[in-house]
Amino acid sequence: MQQVRINQPLLGEGEAAAVLDVMRSGVLTDSGRAGGPMVRRFEGAVRERTGARHCVAVSSGTAALWAAITALEISGGIMMPSFTHASTANAAHFAGCRPAFADIDPETYTMDAARPGPGTAGIIPVHLYGHVARVGPYLDAHVPVTEDAAQAPGSRGAGRTGHAGIFSFYPGKVCTTGEGGAVICDDAGLYERLPDVRNHGSGETPGMNLRMPETCAAMGCVQMGRLDGFLERRRHNARMLCDLLGESVAAPEYDPDCNYGLFTVSSPRRDAIRAALHGRGIQAATYYDPPVHALGRFPYAPLPNTESAAGRVPSIPVHPGVTDATIHGMCRTIRDACWGDARRPGACGAPAAA
């Protein structure tokens, strides 16, 4: 049976050659403040892609969050959604801050534009599944706003409205460095502190070893050059899913600015959908159940929209390796799991993939 993963990196001869060149050079990392030659080249590619004045590459998306919070010198409560990966709260916690969880918009799954509570020292909107959250309203709070764009490389405007933005280049993301992340910003003062934060600190600026290896940066340079092609196919697949799923599930309205890092739908029959897809060799995943505020690591307070979404949303494959035939098959399987009647009208009438 063909196995279709929820996400998979697309690596080729270009990435292999770039990594091999670094290995042959003998320069696998650089402990200097500016980083090695491939790291600097990768940072330039991210700057060019995003339009940011500054970029500092680090070892992961979580490291990027911790570095941004630390360099912004935030101390106190940080408003953030609970409906996201635990890394957002973990980074705040280990930076000495307190996660203050806010509920989400039930339509977009991103943090609603609620007024920050008293004592809020920072805000982290999360661009979940690649959909860019509303950021502008939070600037009125006059506290540092860090955009968690870990899932949003390639989404239009991601990371460019707040005081800083971060990306992840984990293998499950739209493009990858193997492991890696980056912080982007326009502020010269913030940029001046970030290289010290990623390189054990300097003077009063704290830091750790958050350096990105040269091999990872080399892979990332090639991947950034392929990003437009990755995005084109993901958006093609997402448009097909939006059109074909019809009445089967609550699917998002197609958004041409989204990178579709994940394609997530909503249904009270989430578990039946996952089981049916798994039976066909198609991996479906649940992001995120339980949400972070219910993990037991942090004080619990009810978040109705978050808790409702956590029990309803499966994510299904949308990456460039997914063929049109597989999409038709997924839609038919989802419809059958929801209705139990392949003849019911609505969508997905094309034959299933073999």
Side-chain angles (χ1 to χ4, degrees), residues 149-183:
Q151 297 181 11
S155 293
R156 191 181 305 276
R160 297 297 293 125
T161 304
H163 299 89
I166 73 94
F167 297 107
S168 170
F169 301 104
Y170 177 76
K173 299 301 192 286
V174 172
C175 60
T176 186
T177 58
E179 279 280 11
V183 185

Side-chain angles (χ1 to χ4, degrees), residues 125-177:
V126 177
H127 303 324
L128 198 68
Y129 309 140
H131 297 282
V132 176
R134 294 177 63 193
V135 177
Y138 296 118
L139 299 178
D140 295 336
H142 304 294
V143 297
V145 176
T146 305
E147 296 180 51
D148 183 343
Q151 297 181 11
S155 293
R156 191 181 305 276
R160 297 297 293 125
T161 304
H163 299 89
I166 73 94
F167 297 107
S168 170
F169 301 104
Y170 177 76
K173 299 301 192 286
V174 172
C175 60
T176 186
T177 58

Side-chain angles (χ1 to χ4, degrees), residues 279-298:
R280 292 179 54 89
I282 298 170
Q283 183 184 14
T286 300
Y287 305 109
Y288 295 90
D289 185 17
V292 182
H293 76 288
L295 291 174
R297 303 178 194 174
F298 306 102

Side-chain angles (χ1 to χ4, degrees), residues 246-258:
E247 302 171 6
S248 306
V249 293
E253 182 178 351
Y254 177 73
D255 178 3
D257 293 333
C258 181

Side-chain angles (χ1 to χ4, degrees), residues 9 45 52-53 63 67 71 90 100 128 138 147 158 203 216 249 258 302 304 317-318 331-332:
R53 292 181 183 175
N90 289 342
L128 198 68
Y138 296 118
E147 296 180 51
C216 293
V249 293
C258 181
V318 72
C331 289
R332 181 171 181 173

